[in-house]
């Protein structure tokens, strides 16, 4: 276990790590320092060959109640250049590190996931919500906008109309509705959240690392691309994967009727 101060990294078992926000005393409100730690943790785990899946979670009642109010007050007095540097280096840096992580990422959300918390959960590959979870992009109520990817990802996840409701009206979306509209993949009882997260992380950790990273990057690129460009890119990527040890292992495992043991090579 590594201690960063406001977050920590737990090693649950072989191949599975967790980035845990540990500021329950303030509802896990997000400060630049906390976001910088999240950014650095995901960057470190992205290059750790022993890590095959990453859980993103928080201690306490809430996943995140949003940005730290004291920071918002300081932010109002900063210059445009200072704001840009703070947002890009820490807040957007954390979102980028999660979204671009080549490994499986899984957000476990309980209680409120507001503004920053909502957008960091969106940056993960998968989201499992406790039955008391609530998502809200309430930036507009402060006269500002979602800067960490919500305006890009939400329309693609839940459709334009629902994204408008969340971003322009600050609508709260609770667990069951989040499941219905595709914002989360599963809803479980609060007491079962950690266990279900670990179970899903084990499944993801068993994936072929090269194949997973390539498919994930292809899907993300396709959000900003064209079909013709994707056909061309996928030819090159598939050729590389077909020559990998993991592909040969997958073929052998199917032939031998056993679970594959992928190495990431």
């Amino acid at each position: 276990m590594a201690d960063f101060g406001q977050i920590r990294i737990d090693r649950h078992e072989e191949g599975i790590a967790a980035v845990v926000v540990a500021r329950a005393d303030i509802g896990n409100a997000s400060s630049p320092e906390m976001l910088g730690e999240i950014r650095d943790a995901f960057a470190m785990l992205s290059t750790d060959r022993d890590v095959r899946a990453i859980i993103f979670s928080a201690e306490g009642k809430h996943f995140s109640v949003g940005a730290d109010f004291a920071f918002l007050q300081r932010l109002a007095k900063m210059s445009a250049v200072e704001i840009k540097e703070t947002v890009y280096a820490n807040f957007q840096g954390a979102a980028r590190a999660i979204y671009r992580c080549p490994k499986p990422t899984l957000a476990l959300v309980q209680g409120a996931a507001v503004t920053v918390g909502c957008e960091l959960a969106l940056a993960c590959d998968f989201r499992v919500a406790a039955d008391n979870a609530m998502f809200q992009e309430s930036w507009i109520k402060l006269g500002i906008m979602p800067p960490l990817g919500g305006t890009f990802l939400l329309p693609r996840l839940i459709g334009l109309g629902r994204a408008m409701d969340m971003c322009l009206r600050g609508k709260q979306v609770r667990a069951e509705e989040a499941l219905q509209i595709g914002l989360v993949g599963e809803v479980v009882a609060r007491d079962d959240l950690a266990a279900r997260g670990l179970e899903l992380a084990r499944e993801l950790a068993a994936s072929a690392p090269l194949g997973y990273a390539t498919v994930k990057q292809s899907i993300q690129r396709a959000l900003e691309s064209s079909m013709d460009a994707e056909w061309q890119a996928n030819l090159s990527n598939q050729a590389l994967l077909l020559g990998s040890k993991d592909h040969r292992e997958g073929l052998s495992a199917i032939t031998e009727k056993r679970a594959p043991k992928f190495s990431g090579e």
Side-chain angles (χ1 to χ4, degrees):
M1 182 180 72
D3 192 342
F4 283 77
Q6 299 193 52
I7 66 114
R8 70 173 189 273
I9 295 177
D10 290 344
R11 306 276 178 160
H12 284 289
E13 55 190 59
E14 186 177 358
I16 299 173
V19 176
V20 183
V21 180
R23 289 303 308 275
D25 58 318
I26 55 172
N28 295 317
S30 301
S31 64
E33 295 76 19
M34 178 190 289
L35 271 290
E37 291 183 7
I38 292 172
R39 174 200 62 207
D40 294 345
F42 272 90
M44 182 180 74
L45 294 174
S46 291
T47 59
D48 187 335
R49 289 183 60 84
D50 293 331
V51 174
R52 301 285 288 268
I54 304 170
I55 295 170
F56 184 35
S57 64
E59 292 183 339
K61 182 179 178 181
H62 298 292
F63 184 74
S64 172
V65 296
D68 178 72
F69 191 71
F71 167 67
L72 289 177
Q73 290 181 317
R74 297 201 313 271
L75 197 63
K77 300 176 183 178
M78 291 182 187
S79 68
V81 172
E82 289 175 310
I83 291 171
K84 185 176 180 180
E85 289 177 349
T86 298
V87 170
Y88 273 80
N90 295 292
F91 284 81
Q92 201 171 92
R96 284 175 182 268
I98 297 171
Y99 186 70
R100 296 301 185 196
C101 177
K103 300 178 180 183
T105 55
L106 166 64
L108 302 182
V109 180
Q110 80 282 356
V114 178
T115 59
V116 176
C118 182
E119 301 217 282
L120 294 186
L122 289 175
C124 290
D125 300 343
F126 301 93
R127 285 159 296 285
V128 176
D131 51 14
N132 69 340
M134 184 277 288
F135 298 84
Q136 188 176 27
E137 290 274 47
S138 55
W139 307 85
I140 194 70
K141 295 181 181 297
L142 297 171
I144 53 179
M145 67 170 292
L148 308 183
T151 54
F152 179 83
L153 291 171
L154 276 173
R156 292 160 172 80
L157 280 170
I158 64 175
L160 180 61
R162 294 188 180 101
M164 290 286 196
D165 269 346
M166 287 192 71
C167 294
L168 295 179
R169 296 177 58 214
K171 178 185 175 181
Q172 293 184 358
V173 175
R174 299 194 178 275
E176 287 303 325
E177 183 181 1
L179 179 63
Q180 291 170 8
I181 66 178
L183 185 56
V184 302
E186 298 180 43
V187 173
V188 299
R190 173 69 182 94
D191 291 343
D192 297 333
L193 185 62
R196 177 54 186 146
L198 191 55
E199 182 181 22
L200 182 53
R202 291 191 189 105
E203 176 192 329
L204 295 170
S207 301
L210 291 177
Y212 189 98
T214 303
V215 173
K216 177 175 177 175
Q217 290 162 4
S218 295
I219 290 172
Q220 291 177 342
R221 188 180 61 248
L223 295 175
E224 309 170 52
S225 184
S226 68
M227 195 66 205
D228 284 333
E230 286 311 295
W231 275 327
Q232 187 61 42
N234 289 341
L235 281 174
S236 300
N237 289 331
Q238 186 74 317
L240 291 172
L241 292 174
L242 287 169
S244 69
K245 289 183 180 179
D246 277 352
H247 176 57
R248 293 194 293 274
E249 167 62 11
L251 288 175
S252 296
I254 290 174
T255 302
E256 298 165 12
K257 297 182 179 180
R258 58 174 175 79
K261 296 181 179 180
F262 296 118
S263 64
E265 299 177 279

